[in-house]
C-alpha cells in the first residue's frame, strides 16, 4: 500500500465543515456529532470489522474546513472514488440555516494515508 | 409526567462542554462527536427502543457550556439521579490537553422536559 501506513496508527474519520455558513461553534459541534453518528451507523451496516478497528484505535477524529458546498461535493466524489465511506449532513434547519442545508461532510473511518490524500490539504477547524 | 412534554417534541441529547479548557472550535466539535458516539453505543446496549425514538425524532442534539470539571461531575450526578444516560469523554491528550482530561459530558437521549431540568440553565455553546 502506498505510504505504508503502520496499522498501529489507527483508522481515522475526518469531518469537513462548510465554512461559508459561518456557523456558531455550538452548531458546528452538533453537526459534526451528527456526521459521526451517521458514519458509525454506516460502518455498522456495511463493515463491522472496519468499525471495530476504528473503535480499538480510539475512534480518532479531526475536523477541517472547506469554504463551499462545491468543495464538499468534490471531496465526497474523491472519497467515493477512493472507496472511503462518506456521509453528508443536512441540517433540520431549526436555528441558523434553512432546512436541508448541507453543513458537514463526514469521511471514514479509513487509514490515515488514504484519507489524507483526500483531505490532507485542508486547514484544521 | 411533569411538564407534559409532547411525544412529537422528540428525544434529545445535550453535550456539556467544559469551558475552562478553552478548546478550539475544532477540538470541541471532535469531543462532542466522541460523546455522541458513546451515547449511541450506550443506548444500543441498554435501550434500543430509546435509541430508535431518538433517531426517528431526528437525533436532536444541543451543545451547552459549563465552566469547570466540578460542574460537569455535579451535572452527571443529577442526570444519574434522574435516570438519564450519561457519558464523560476523556481526551486521548494528543494535542491541546493532557491525556485523560475530561472534556465533555454527554447526556441523553431523554425527553426534553427531563433533560432540561438538569441542563436548562446552561448557556448555549
Amino acid at each position: 500500500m502506498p505510504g505504508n501506513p503502520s496499522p498501529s496508527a489507527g483508522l481515522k474519520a475526518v469531518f469537513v465543515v462548510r465554512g461559508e455558513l459561518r456557523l456558531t461553534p455550538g452548531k458546528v459541534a452538533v453537526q459534526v456529532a451528527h456526521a459521526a453518528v451517521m458514519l458509525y451507523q454506516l460502518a455498522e451496516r456495511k463493515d463491522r470489522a472496519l468499525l471495530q478497528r476504528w473503535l480499538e484505535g480510539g475512534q480518532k477524529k479531526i475536523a477541517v474546513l472547506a469554504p463551499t458546498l462545491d468543495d464538499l461535493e468534490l471531496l465526497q466524489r474523491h472519497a467515493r472514488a477512493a472507496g472511503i465511506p462518506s456521509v453528508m449532513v443536512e441540517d433540520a434547519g431549526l436555528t441558523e440555516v434553512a432546512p436541508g442545508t448541507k453543513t458537514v461532510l463526514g469521511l471514514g473511518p479509513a487509514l490515515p494515508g488514504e484519507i489524507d490524500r483526500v483531505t490532507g490539504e485542508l486547514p484544521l477547524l
Side-chain angles (χ1 to χ4, degrees), chain A:
Chain A
M1 183 170 291
N4 190 29
S6 158
S8 66
L11 302 182
K12 74 176 177 183
V14 176
F15 302 95
V16 187
V17 176
R18 184 175 163 194
E20 65 186 347
L21 297 177
R22 298 182 177 281
L23 300 173
T24 60
K27 186 81 178 177
V28 165
V30 162
Q31 300 293 309
V32 169
H34 201 81
V37 169
M38 290 167 72
L39 286 180
Y40 186 96
Q41 292 175 304
L42 184 63
E44 213 171 29
R45 281 200 310 274
K46 301 246 184 174
D47 192 341
R48 295 186 72 96
L50 185 80
L51 178 62
Q52 200 54 42
R53 283 170 64 200
W54 184 47
L55 297 175
E56 283 169 2
Q59 49 164 307
K60 283 180 194 153
K61 306 182 187 77
I62 66 163
V64 299
L65 207 57
T68 69
L69 179 58
D70 282 350
D71 296 316
L72 266 58
E73 290 178 339
L74 180 63
L75 289 162
Q76 188 169 34
R77 286 196 293 277
H78 288 170
R80 283 178 177 152
I84 295 169
S86 71
V87 296
M88 188 76 82
V89 178
E90 294 192 15
D91 191 66
L94 301 175
T95 49
E96 298 178 25
V97 296
T101 301
K102 293 172 180 175
T103 55
V104 170
L105 172 67
L107 301 173
L111 287 169
E114 291 173 345
I115 208 163
D116 289 349
R117 278 198 289 277
V118 177
T119 62
E121 303 291 312
L122 299 171
L124 287 174
L125 174 66

